[in-house]
Amino acid sequence: MTENYTVAVLGLGAMGLPMATRLATQLTVHGFDIAEPRLKLAAAAGVNTFESARAAADGTDALLLAVRNGEQLDEVLFGTNGVASAMARGSVVILTSTVGTEAIPGTVERLAGYGVELVDAPLSGGPVRAGEGDLLIVVGATPAARTQAAPVLGLLASTLSIVGDKPGDGQALKTVNQLLCGVHIAAAAEALALADAMGLDQAKTLAALEAGAAGSFMLSNRGPRILEAYSEDGAEVLSRLDIFVKDMGIVGKAARAAGMAAPMAAAAEQLYLLGQAQGLAAADDSAVIKVVAPARRHAG
């Protein structure tokens, strides 16, 4: 199935470029980004680049899409220069973003008018793992749509979890995932700030915590970047702080819709909101430690 399979990747940023590069090892990949430097990097990696999103999507078997929210999803697919009408009947849109469940039913209905199905496939793992095909992808889609998307999902995921047969199921599970991720990052920042306040060496503290029962993926992944937050340039931006403003907002909205309290998620959300208000929106999410502790107490 992969011999003549073509996938378009719209957005060649921190996640889009490594995913496109990974896919180009076995598939024909079309790419588009508004930033010329990203197009050049993609072309060097074997991606066929285009001057518009519609041109990139035209006639492809699948469209891999990462957007910030439901409004942007609607604009990309159905706006003035929307790509849905350029797609081939029988193709699929693979939505890799966390946008919440509310945007999904209307998107599915409108895509159906073009003979296109939605594969709800939010992912987790970061840029390095994206380039290695080592992502966690949770999928909600019909069996037929999953089959059509299989060449793409198989190359990107080391763990592929089919959570349901309808779009929206993936968003629901990713919402739960983001609750844990958002709380874990905030907790890791708070713990390392406390270590510093108590006069401990933060790097040694982090190494000790990772080896014990308090260890977690987020502690190990964000911990070193948390320790870089106070440097002049801060940590390299691999996941923006305002992404968790969005995601924790989705978590809170989902919890309220379900009629349940989510106090841990609400507390973490407030930290990210404070960070955004303090000008850290575009910083790496590890900068949330600067909300808990605006300045380091001990050099080291």
Side-chain angles (χ1 to χ4, degrees), residues 105-144:
T107 301
V108 169
E109 182 178 358
R110 295 186 71 179
L111 283 175
Y114 298 101
V116 176
E117 286 201 66
L118 180 68
V119 177
D120 175 23
L123 53 80
S124 181
V128 173
R129 291 173 64 185
E132 296 172 348
D134 190 26
L135 295 170
L136 161 66
I137 303 181
V138 294
V139 179
T142 67

Side-chain angles (χ1 to χ4, degrees), residues 9-269:
V9 179
L10 302 188
L12 300 167
M15 287 295 289
L17 183 58
M19 286 194 290
T21 300
R22 168 70 177 175
L23 293 171
T25 61
Q26 295 188 36
L27 308 176
T28 299
V29 180
H30 293 183
F32 171 74
D33 195 283
I34 59 173
E36 183 65 29
R38 304 304 292 184
L39 289 174
K40 290 181 178 179
L41 288 172
V47 175
N48 302 302
T49 60
F50 291 78
E51 294 183 355
S52 73
R54 284 181 59 84
D58 186 22
T60 56
D61 297 290
L63 171 70
L64 186 72
L65 189 59
V67 293
R68 289 187 61 82
N69 50 42
E71 291 76 14
Q72 194 176 87
L73 173 65
D74 189 75
E75 178 63 25
V76 170
L77 291 176
F78 311 115
T80 303
N81 297 307
V83 300
S85 60
M87 297 183 66
R89 297 188 69 86
S91 62
V92 291
V93 172
I94 304 172
L95 176 63
T96 65
S97 313
T98 305
V99 300
T101 58
E102 287 188 340
I104 302 303
T107 301
V108 169
E109 182 178 358
R110 295 186 71 179
L111 283 175
Y114 298 101
V116 176
E117 286 201 66
L118 180 68
V119 177
D120 175 23
L123 53 80
S124 181
V128 173
R129 291 173 64 185
E132 296 172 348
D134 190 26
L135 295 170
L136 161 66
I137 303 181
V138 294
V139 179
T142 67
R146 295 201 303 266
T147 297
Q148 179 68 10
V152 174
L153 299 178
L155 278 171
L156 295 178
S158 58
T159 302
L160 188 65
S161 178
I162 308 301
V163 296
D165 288 340
K166 70 178 189 300
D169 291 337
Q171 292 295 320
L173 182 54
K174 186 63 186 298
T175 298
V176 177
N177 182 85
Q178 293 309 89
L179 185 158
L180 285 169
C181 288
V183 169
H184 284 180
I185 293 169
E190 188 172 295
L192 291 171
L194 177 61
D196 184 53
M198 296 175 69
L200 297 174
D201 180 287
Q202 286 180 308
K204 290 181 179 178
T205 299
L206 175 60
L209 293 173
E210 288 182 282
S216 70
F217 173 85
M218 280 303 186
L219 178 66
S220 295
N221 182 267
R222 295 306 199 275
R225 285 148 61 186
I226 287 171
L227 301 188
E228 296 173 2
Y230 296 104
S231 64
E232 183 176 351
D233 295 326
E236 180 185 1
V237 181
L238 298 179
S239 175
R240 287 172 52 125
L241 183 141
D242 60 1
I243 294 296
F244 272 98
V245 172
K246 170 185 71 77
D247 287 358
M248 298 311 282
I250 290 172
V251 169
K253 194 170 186 178
R256 289 189 293 275
M260 64 163 278
M264 300 298 291
E269 181 184 12

